[in-house]
Amino acid sequence: MRFASEEAQGRSPLYEELARGVAGDRGILDFLLDLPPARRQANLLLAAVRHLHGTLPNFESFRDALQAKPEELRAVMLTRTTQTNEPARCAVLLPVLAGLPQPLALLEVGASAGLCLLPERYGYAYGEHRLGAEEPVFPCEANSATPLPTRLPLVAWRAGLDLHPLDVTSAADVSWLETLVWPEQEQRRSRLRQAIGLAAKERPPLHQGDLRQDLVALLAQAPAGATRVVFHTAVLAYVTSQADRENFAEAAMRHADVWIANEAPSVFPAIAAQAPSPAPPGHFLLSVNGRPVAWTDPHGASISWFG
């Protein structure tokens, strides 16, 4: 029910209906409980069913499709992960990135297909305040306190780290990325396709590895003279150990010049405790070097600065 009320509500009526239906269906809950804990995610279930059966119009057809081919669904949920690579999240990162000493060396952990590694290649519209390329352009509602960027960052080096990097030249990986975009959000899907096309030309370097073990070695490849930035968005929730999260944060702050986290407030409770309360439902908390600065929409549609 949390996914329905805090994440899907107001963003995807269909996903809200499906999530509420799942929460009250004993058979589907038993199916989920038979999966490893890390695979019992609402987002993963909804995306996997769409991947196999297309967008179904209501909960009844969703339940019928799941019951018809449960083993196929199980296979998808065991082999795929929710690697939502939403490039519009660059819009909430940009006020921080543009204000840092330039040039930047960017290292994204949980990079998926690397679309957020190209912040200077996109266009942005913070209301009437616009900058960057003609397409894709990411609209982002910003409050009056947000330090709107007046320039795009200068990127001297970039790299992504992911357990299972996705390939934007692979039809299967691109299909999965598109499936992760929620129903009713066609503009978001269109901008994703534009970003994928750009990434297919730019090919930001992606490295297979674990953020708990491989961060320092990869960051050491950054060139001298660049501001070393480690960043991530909607990633650390999948690191289930709080101790591992804290160890990662310590390593990021020790070895990088700047650590930017854009995560659910529950990921780093000590950071969230410093933020104004109450937290807007379903929003992420943007922090810089362990200091909270803004509430953000999970898909980059808004930023409310308080830092």
Side-chain angles (χ1 to χ4, degrees):
M1 290 297 287
R2 187 201 62 80
F3 179 87
S5 60
E6 294 186 11
E7 297 190 41
Q9 189 174 43
R11 295 185 176 95
S12 173
L14 178 58
Y15 267 13
E16 181 182 358
E17 176 192 343
L18 298 182
R20 292 187 186 280
V22 168
D25 190 287
R26 186 69 257 174
I28 298 179
L29 293 177
D30 286 342
F31 169 82
L32 290 172
L33 288 172
D34 194 43
L35 295 169
R39 302 290 177 164
R40 300 171 190 168
Q41 305 158 24
N43 236 347
L44 181 58
L45 172 67
L46 297 172
V49 172
R50 285 181 69 210
H51 188 65
L52 291 173
H53 303 285
T55 302
L56 301 170
N58 51 49
F59 177 69
E60 288 74 20
S61 58
F62 176 91
R63 181 181 56 205
D64 291 345
L66 188 155
Q67 293 174 343
K69 298 181 178 180
E71 289 309 311
E72 287 189 28
L73 178 62
R74 178 182 174 85
V76 173
M77 294 185 70
L78 289 175
T79 55
R80 287 289 185 180
T81 57
T82 50
Q83 291 176 279
T84 303
N85 201 182
E86 177 50 71
R89 289 168 175 161
C90 288
V92 302
L93 300 173
L94 198 67
V96 177
L97 295 177
L100 298 175
Q102 308 291 311
L104 307 180
L106 299 179
L107 196 166
E108 182 184 15
V109 297
S112 187
L115 303 186
C116 289
L117 280 166
L118 301 168
E120 83 283 18
R121 304 296 193 194
Y122 302 136
Y124 304 89
Y126 302 93
E128 296 300 315
H129 183 80
R130 296 172 180 254
L131 72 163
E134 293 184 2
E135 60 180 32
V137 175
F138 300 125
C140 181
E141 181 180 345
N143 68 347
S144 59
T146 302
L148 296 180
T150 58
R151 62 178 181 178
L152 294 172
L154 176 62
V155 181
W157 179 88
R158 70 190 90 219
L161 182 65
D162 199 288
L163 285 172
H164 306 286
L166 297 182
D167 182 357
V168 291
T169 66
S170 161
D173 284 356
V174 168
S175 175
W176 180 246
L177 283 172
E178 292 189 8
T179 301
L180 291 170
V181 176
W182 295 3
E184 305 107 0
Q185 299 183 349
E186 285 304 317
Q187 288 187 329
R188 187 178 155 212
R189 194 184 326 276
S190 175
R191 290 190 288 264
L192 174 71
R193 289 170 178 159
Q194 292 173 331
I196 287 172
L198 186 60
K201 297 177 183 177
E202 299 286 340
R203 303 306 298 271
L206 299 175
H207 303 262
Q208 186 171 15
D210 191 319
L211 61 84
R212 293 166 293 190
Q213 302 168 5
D214 303 310
L215 172 72
V216 176
L218 183 55
L219 188 60
Q221 299 178 26
T227 300
R228 297 164 299 168
V229 181
V230 170
F231 72 98
H232 50 90
T233 179
V235 171
L236 268 292
Y238 299 107
V239 177
T240 56
S241 165
Q242 189 64 39
D244 284 348
R245 295 176 190 172
E246 299 296 341
N247 289 338
F248 162 79
E250 182 181 351
M253 286 192 286
R254 183 188 314 124
H255 296 280
D257 299 305
V258 180
W259 167 48
I260 303 173
N262 188 38
E263 301 281 353
S266 59
V267 169
F268 290 109
I271 297 177
Q274 305 171 50
S277 60
H283 278 59
F284 284 175
L285 181 61
L286 180 68
S287 64
V288 180
N289 290 335
R291 180 175 63 88
V293 296
W295 298 112
T296 67
D297 176 82
H299 297 140
S302 67
I303 179 170
S304 181
W305 194 274
F306 55 78

